[in-house]
Amino acid sequence: MTNILFYVLAIVALLGAAGVVLAKSPMGSVVSLLGTFFALAVIYLLAGFQFLAGAQILVYAGAILVLFLFVIMLLNLGAMGSKFELSFAPLQSTRARIAGCIALALALVGLVAAQRASFAAVPERDASAPAIDSMEGLALELFGRYSLPFQATSLLLLVTMVGVIALAKRQRSGDEPAKGEERP
Amino acid sequence: MNPQDLLTLFDAAAMTALAPLIALALGTLAVLACGIIPGGSVVRPIAFLASLAAAAAYCVKTLVDGAPATLVLDGTFQSGPTTAVWGLVFIASTLFAWLYSAHYYEEDAPFKGEHDVLMLATPIGMMLMAGAHDLLVFFIGLELLSIPLYSLAAFRRDRIRSIEAGLKYFLLGAFAAACFLYGAALLYATTGSLSLDVFADPTRRAVILDQPLALVGVALIASSVFFKVSVFPFHLWVPDVYEGSPTPVTALMETGTKAAAFAFLLNALAMLPNSTAGSIALIAVITMAAGNFGALAQTDVKRMLAYSGIAHAGTLLLGVAGSLNGDPARGGAIEAALYYMAAYVATAGGAFGLLALLERENKGTTTLESLKGLAQRRPVVAAALTLFMLSLGGIPATGGFLGKYLVFSVAVRAELIPYAILGVLLSVVALGYYLRVIIAMYMQSPAEGSVVPESRPTPFATTLASVVCAALVIGLGILPRWFLEVM
């Protein structure tokens, strides 16, 4: 039962990912991405990661996609069809085909490697410690072993914000975006 | 990990290791806060320098105390003399880039404060990368270094080349980051851990490296690190990005990023099977060839130095290959790499910095043509640039020579002799284009009718940084023993 559910969800996630690339309108891409995120969240649930599944829905489906939608609506990308249509034009070029073949070959290598994987090197978990899939276990990892990267992430987010503002904010009123090589 | 262990996590050793990072992080916040307080633009450079100085002082303190290398924070972070010297290298690279950037932008250029915030955040990322004993720590460090650099590369928004450089660097860098994460996930699947510890025990290491899934993971991680240090075949982005970025930022990318990624590579060597030494040496020699022959064809000095940076990454990679011999001391490769990078930070930092100065005077061009007759116009600048070119080329009595010597001797000791010979020959090729710069400055006069740029007084920050760089290049060249003892 779990297996069947996993395969169904995996197919939904893959179809959603394909939809992101192939959808004609940006809105269609966002909706496809939503499908992928939900399917992934349920896969996390199947693997026993309740908190991760919740965070996936809240953060990705809730916050990030809504942000995407806002940006698309603010940019008002013109003639967006109200229908969900696919366009296969991106796949027509030779370059895209070559890239696709390379990606497929790499995926096959990955599949073969995964088939032959053994988990002999994975150590037994300490039974007394809280399991990583519980919220307590996750918190202990974040505030214990990984407290350094966890705290560095806060700085990373701050710096990213500063970098984005420096790049995206209009410099002075009446400033035009760069067109020529050098402005006088 | 149990809840009661949390109390002992941040012990004295951990705080010693983290002190430079904390100093830099507080400095970043202070520089950011200078944007809203009155008189902030006066306080900002002081805050920037104070934070760098505090971080450097903590690194020196670790060196003076001479405590042996230990793992802190539940084995995720390294502390010890090697990490401290790397820290000093990163701080020097940031300091040079910042000093040269002080007068690079237009007087009324906006976002100067943001520029400094981004620049001060990069050494934190570098230190996290160099000290990382866990793939997750390394990844956060990598991003903390890369994201400010993406933004800084595109900082001259009035130039389309700068925007192109930022976008190119961002897209390819994001792809490399994805590769790294995928590789780390595969390694986690086979080992149940993200720590480099799993490779410490030889028998366990053999079991892991016997699995195809782990090997795919290692290959993905290696390619993303190779991308950052611009090793063949992941070097194609370098010339465009380095040429388009503001020159002080290029100096930071060229010296800091390279040093940090190599520091991690030397820590993570245990991931690579020893049998790969030959193939890595081959990649190193191909990288040197690609960089050197690419540089020969350039007429723009900035682009030429970008190609020369690829060649230098190849040289250093040869040392890395030489250290894949399974002995714990790594055949002196860590010392050789530290020495090489310390000399390189001073040399390449100074060379790019002087280019930044000349670029401002020559209205944005850095071609060989614009350097003609520089010896008459600016004798001191020409002399300093000559020194840096000689050191990049590896002429004796400069730091560059000893760095090259140490790296090649690591390769020879590891019996990679054919590769070492090829490497030395390629270094001779490199002299071809370094000398061309010197010839243009001293022996050629500007073409008829070309506009001779007006000489402006050299800004104090540029003079200071150049003097320090030149002193380091000469000092590392003639007093190697002193520097090696400090390490």
Side-chain angles (χ1 to χ4, degrees):
Chain A
M1 176 61 197
T2 316
N3 261 342
I4 298 170
L5 200 53
F6 169 76
Y7 282 115
V8 172
L9 287 166
I11 289 169
V12 171
L14 283 178
L15 286 179
V20 176
V21 182
L22 296 177
K24 243 181 188 165
S25 69
M27 203 61 98
S29 292
V30 171
V31 174
S32 307
L33 198 57
L34 190 67
T36 301
F37 283 161
F38 269 111
L40 281 183
V42 184
I43 290 178
Y44 292 154
L45 263 186
L46 286 181
F49 291 92
Q50 295 93 342
F51 178 72
L52 199 58
Q56 166 88 5
I57 302 270
L58 277 178
V59 176
Y60 279 94
I64 294 185
L65 277 187
V66 170
L67 201 67
F68 280 1
L69 285 179
F70 266 120
V71 171
I72 289 172
M73 287 178 174
L74 281 179
L75 287 180
N76 196 14
L77 288 175
M80 280 189 293
S82 53
K83 275 185 231 153
F84 182 76
E85 286 177 49
L86 295 182
S87 150
F88 291 93
L91 302 183
Q92 302 296 326
S93 76
T94 324
R95 278 187 195 175
R97 284 185 186 147
I98 295 173
C101 287
I102 294 174
L104 188 68
L106 284 179
L108 283 178
V109 169
L111 267 182
V112 172
Q115 279 292 318
R116 297 174 55 184
S118 79
F119 298 95
V122 180
E124 291 292 318
R125 273 203 73 82
D126 180 8
S128 66
I132 179 74
D133 53 359
S134 72
M135 236 165 115
E136 193 192 351
L138 195 68
L140 273 177
E141 289 284 317
L142 279 184
F143 291 100
R145 184 177 172 76
Y146 289 116
S147 51
L148 175 61
F150 181 62
Q151 291 174 46
T153 309
S154 64
L155 193 66
L156 175 63
L157 290 175
L158 176 73
V159 169
T160 310
M161 207 153 67
V162 172
V164 168
I165 288 171
L167 278 190
K169 192 167 176 285
R170 212 160 272 185
Q171 298 192 334
R172 260 165 257 116
S173 58
D175 236 21
E176 290 292 311
K179 286 207 181 75
E181 175 63 37
E182 183 86 65
R183 261 190 328 187
Chain B
M1 171 155 271
N2 288 310
Q4 54 270 27
D5 295 339
L6 291 180
L7 295 172
T8 55
L9 199 64
F10 287 92
D11 53 3
M15 290 319 283
T16 313
L18 291 181
L21 295 157
I22 295 171
L24 290 171
L26 289 177
T28 310
L29 295 180
V31 170
L32 189 62
C34 285
I36 50 167
I37 58 169
S41 58
V42 182
V43 185
R44 200 171 61 221
I46 301 171
F48 192 99
L49 287 173
S51 135
L52 276 186
Y58 280 119
C59 288
V60 170
K61 182 175 175 292
T62 312
L63 272 180
V64 171
D65 287 353
T70 45
L71 290 178
V72 295
L73 294 173
D74 202 12
T76 55
F77 198 67
Q78 276 178 336
S79 78
T82 313
T83 340
V85 178
W86 278 122
L88 287 175
V89 170
F90 304 147
I91 290 168
S93 131
T94 314
L95 179 67
F96 294 149
W98 182 74
L99 284 176
Y100 283 122
S101 76
H103 294 275
Y104 177 76
Y105 302 98
E106 277 78 22
E107 305 303 333
D108 60 338
F111 302 119
K112 279 240 176 82
E114 282 78 358
H115 179 273
D116 289 357
V117 170
L118 294 172
M119 228 173 214
L120 196 53
T122 53
I124 309 176
M126 296 177 207
M127 285 183 187
L128 280 176
M129 286 163 79
H133 200 68
D134 190 285
L135 294 177
L136 202 57
V137 177
F138 173 77
F139 182 72
I140 299 293
L142 182 71
E143 290 302 289
L144 197 49
L145 168 65
S146 304
I147 288 182
L149 282 181
Y150 301 146
S151 184
L152 285 173
F155 218 77
R156 294 206 62 183
R157 288 196 311 181
D158 51 346
R159 276 214 236 166
I160 200 101
R161 301 293 292 269
S162 177
I163 297 173
E164 183 199 335
L167 188 66
K168 223 172 220 177
Y169 195 29
F170 172 65
L171 287 178
L172 291 172
F175 192 70
C179 269
F180 181 88
L181 283 182
Y182 193 22
L186 290 182
L187 266 188
Y188 185 79
T190 41
T191 64
S193 164
L194 287 170
S195 172
L196 296 178
D197 268 346
V198 295
F199 296 99
D201 175 22
T203 41
R204 190 149 173 236
R205 174 168 181 258
V207 174
I208 294 167
L209 290 179
D210 210 26
Q211 295 190 53
L213 204 57
L215 283 180
V216 174
V218 169
L220 283 167
I221 290 174
S223 18
S224 82
V225 177
F226 282 178
F227 167 85
K228 281 289 164 199
V229 295
S230 67
V231 160
F232 177 89
F234 308 103
H235 67 287
L236 294 167
W237 57 278
V238 171
D240 288 347
V241 172
Y242 280 23
E243 193 192 356
S245 306
T247 312
V249 176
T250 313
L252 185 60
M253 280 183 205
E254 173 67 33
T255 56
T257 315
K258 206 160 265 180
F262 266 112
F264 171 74
L265 205 54
L266 285 162
N267 277 339
L269 269 181
M271 283 166 87
L272 295 167
N274 283 342
S275 54
T276 53
S279 28
I280 290 188
L282 183 65
I283 296 176
V285 171
I286 297 176
T287 308
M288 288 172 78
N292 282 330
F293 287 112
L296 274 180
Q298 303 307 319
T299 54
D300 188 298
V301 181
K302 201 170 163 189
R303 207 173 164 83
M304 191 200 88
L305 281 181
Y307 274 104
S308 117
I310 299 173
H312 280 276
T315 314
L316 209 44
L317 193 67
L318 194 60
V320 170
S323 65
L324 273 173
N325 51 8
D327 87 276
R330 300 254 162 244
I334 294 176
E335 288 75 23
L338 265 174
Y339 202 87
Y340 194 99
M341 274 322 299
Y344 192 67
V345 164
T347 319
F352 275 113
L354 289 181
L355 271 189
L357 173 76
L358 297 172
E359 185 183 345
R360 269 216 76 181
E361 284 179 10
N362 293 333
K363 302 199 167 49
T365 55
T366 51
T367 53
L368 266 179
E369 195 65 40
S370 72
L371 288 183
K372 283 187 178 166
L374 190 73
Q376 277 90 49
R377 287 202 307 276
R378 310 287 301 263
V380 182
V381 174
L385 201 52
T386 306
L387 174 70
F388 295 140
M389 287 298 147
L390 291 178
S391 177
L392 282 174
I395 300 291
T398 60
F401 167 73
L402 265 146
K404 272 211 171 76
Y405 169 76
L406 288 171
V407 167
F408 283 131
S409 58
V410 169
V412 169
R413 252 176 281 146
E415 296 178 348
L416 296 166
I417 293 166
Y419 301 106
I421 292 175
L422 272 174
V424 173
L425 288 179
L426 285 167
S427 304
V428 178
V429 173
L431 277 180
Y433 55 85
Y434 292 129
L435 290 179
R436 237 172 42 189
V437 176
I438 300 174
I439 290 171
M441 287 190 301
Y442 280 92
M443 299 178 188
Q444 291 170 338
S445 44
E448 288 293 316
S450 61
V451 187
V452 176
E454 45 171 327
S455 279
R456 299 185 221 189
T458 313
F460 174 68
T462 305
T463 317
L464 179 69
S466 307
V467 167
V468 174
C469 283
L472 272 175
V473 168
I474 296 173
L476 283 163
I478 57 179
L479 294 170
R481 186 173 296 264
W482 190 82
F483 283 95
L484 283 171
E485 266 166 20
V486 169
M487 285 171 197

